[in-house]
Amino acid sequence: MPTYKAPLRDVRFLLNEVFDYSSHYAGLANGKDADADTVNAILEECARFCEETLAPLYWAKGDEACVLKDGQVTTPAGFKEAYAEYIAGGWQGLSHPTEYGGQGLPMSLGLLKSEMTGTANWPFTMYPGLSLGCMNTIMQYATPEQNALYMPALTEGRWAGTMCLTEPQCGTDLGQITTKAEPQADGTHKISGTKIFISSGDHDLTENIVHIVLARLPDAPKGTRGISLFIVPKVIPNADGTLGARNGVVCASLEHKMGIKASATAVLNFDGATAWMIGEANKGLEAMFTFMNTARIGTAVQGLAHAELSYQNALAYAKDRRSMRSLSGKKEPEKNADAIIHHGDVRRMLLTQKAFAEGGRAMIYFAAQYADHMVNGILEGNNAKYKEWDDKLGFYTPILKGFLTEMGLEAANHGMQIFGGHGYIKEHGMEQIARDARIATLYEGTTGIQALDLLGRKVLLTTRGKCVREFTGMIANFAVNNLRDAKLRPYATTLARYAAEWNVLTMRIMLTARKDRDMVGTASHHFLMYSGYVMMAYFWAMQASVAAEKLKNGGSESKEFYKAKLATARFYFDHILPRAKGHASSMIKPSRSMTKLDPEHFAFV
């Protein structure tokens, strides 16, 4: 039976040895309670919950669809009990203010928790995960009265949350939204319209669900400038927080999906539902980006989660499954054949999975520190600080979401391949991981949308290349500091070349796009993937640097762990990073090779 074991050694390596989270937390206004003992206790308890409750539930029921009957959505057996255990453990409010019943710990600890719960059981994790974005949006943009009414129940986990953007006629192009919001004499609004693809849109885990909905006022301007944001509870709460009347929102149907089946994806009909505006009129999209950026980081975690889960099970299978003999001679002469882990191509796939999982974890843990600073800006009421760190994080978000979900899907496919025919059979679990991983490249903005956001908005429009220069500056500093170290010099020189090339490519696209606007679209995917490969290389070099130093200065108790880090880093630089060269070559080609063909000429029937 497939299994999951929380990779606590690697987590602690990043927290304690690579990124010095102890010092990081000491410098945060909400980090004083995140001492080493507390963090360790959280990791241990979360690992226990994931390994003993969530992982077995995933293999047993994660591929079973929710059921809609008589207007009520029912989750698979065991989900309600697991959610009750999750809530009893205080996990939902881990990184939310104590005034609402949370533990007031840094946001990054919530991401660490989400990584483990998501790897153990992604369909389950989506239910509380969507609530976190809802909570963050309410905290930042709702009135004090709205916060007092909604946040305690959301923080405790008695209520859940969603975000309602997509409609049948539009997905990413939110300027096409038609859901209406009619103002009422009492200051409320009546929402009417249909939203589709609403993750956790309805379920039986909580007594109430708070929908964050984009809609248009009657006099709203056309396009994205005319969108407002509203709170629409499934059950209208009374002033004291108790539940009142059922609101005018119903689940019309559940989507029949390729994967993440135990997560309810709903079509919601709003029929004059009572709503309360949050934020300013016609500025709802700006507020919704708080929710969307939270969700995009969470989706990046999914890429890491599926890479890790597939790797763990593929590794166990590769050590046990025997087939033929190694090309370099018998490795297990006492057996009738060698374990397939001794075959070069199987090692290629396993190391690719390992490199993506551990490299992706480093990328997310680094960005999580930026998120901590951003949240502290909000808590301190320092808008300038919030914007500074939000802008910095904005550069990472599309790379994390776009690149890591693509790599997570690749890793999941490698897991199936390592299992051979057994990987295609349901009982081994590998095809379930691959199907669940597929959606991650689609929702919260497809990889193509992330690529356009990165190149078109973050790099060219907003910062004019500054964000690339800042990150490559960090790479250059690493290179300069490690050029004299014989073991690290290969990483340093390679990274220095890529840092320079990244800036040159950015400038070439910037100049060419002045005359060839289509180039932004034709180059964006290659630019995103190139950025991801080079960024991950930097974080692998960082890990190699720490591992080499530990081996040199007495890290004997983890000697094999550090050796494995160095070997995986070398594999990444030798076999994965060269992929970036192909993307570099393609991104600067003229757009006409993609745009010249007339749409009518794509196929002749």
Side-chain angles (χ1 to χ4, degrees), residues 378-426:
I378 298 173
L379 295 175
E380 297 169 4
N382 187 335
N383 192 59
K385 180 177 180 181
Y386 159 73
K387 191 174 187 314
E388 175 192 356
W389 289 102
D390 184 49
D391 288 344
K392 288 179 179 292
L393 187 62
F395 171 63
Y396 293 93
T397 300
I399 299 175
L400 294 177
K401 196 282 177 184
F403 178 75
L404 290 185
T405 56
E406 291 288 348
M407 298 305 98
L409 178 60
E410 179 181 334
N413 285 329
H414 283 321
M416 287 184 65
Q417 194 76 6
I418 290 166
F419 270 71
H422 293 292
Y424 202 66
I425 305 302
K426 182 176 177 62

Side-chain angles (χ1 to χ4, degrees), residues 484-504:
R484 294 183 179 181
D485 188 314
K487 289 186 177 180
L488 298 176
R489 188 179 301 120
Y491 302 115
T493 54
T494 299
L495 282 174
R497 288 195 296 270
Y498 275 102
E501 182 182 56
W502 197 354
N503 281 290
V504 170

Side-chain angles (χ1 to χ4, degrees), residues 14 20 29 72 76 78 128 239 258 345 416 431 470 502 530 557 568 572:
L14 294 175
D20 190 13
Q72 176 61 53
M258 174 181 175
D345 193 53
M416 287 184 65
E431 56 85 34
E470 286 183 349
W502 197 354
Y530 179 93
E557 72 282 357
T568 311
Y572 183 88

Side-chain angles (χ1 to χ4, degrees), residues 51-121:
E51 293 168 4
E52 296 179 7
T53 299
L54 293 187
L57 181 63
Y58 176 68
W59 302 119
K61 295 292 182 179
D63 206 32
E64 182 178 312
C66 296
V67 175
L68 172 62
K69 184 177 181 181
D70 299 327
Q72 176 61 53
V73 174
T74 303
T75 53
F79 270 63
K80 287 187 71 172
E81 293 76 10
Y83 186 79
E85 185 178 344
Y86 176 88
I87 296 307
W91 295 111
Q92 188 67 346
L94 185 68
S95 298
H96 284 80
T98 56
E99 64 186 286
Y100 302 127
Q103 298 179 48
L105 294 168
M107 181 183 177
S108 55
L109 279 174
L111 283 173
L112 302 187
K113 170 207 69 181
S114 295
E115 182 207 330
M116 283 193 272
T117 60
T119 309
N121 191 327

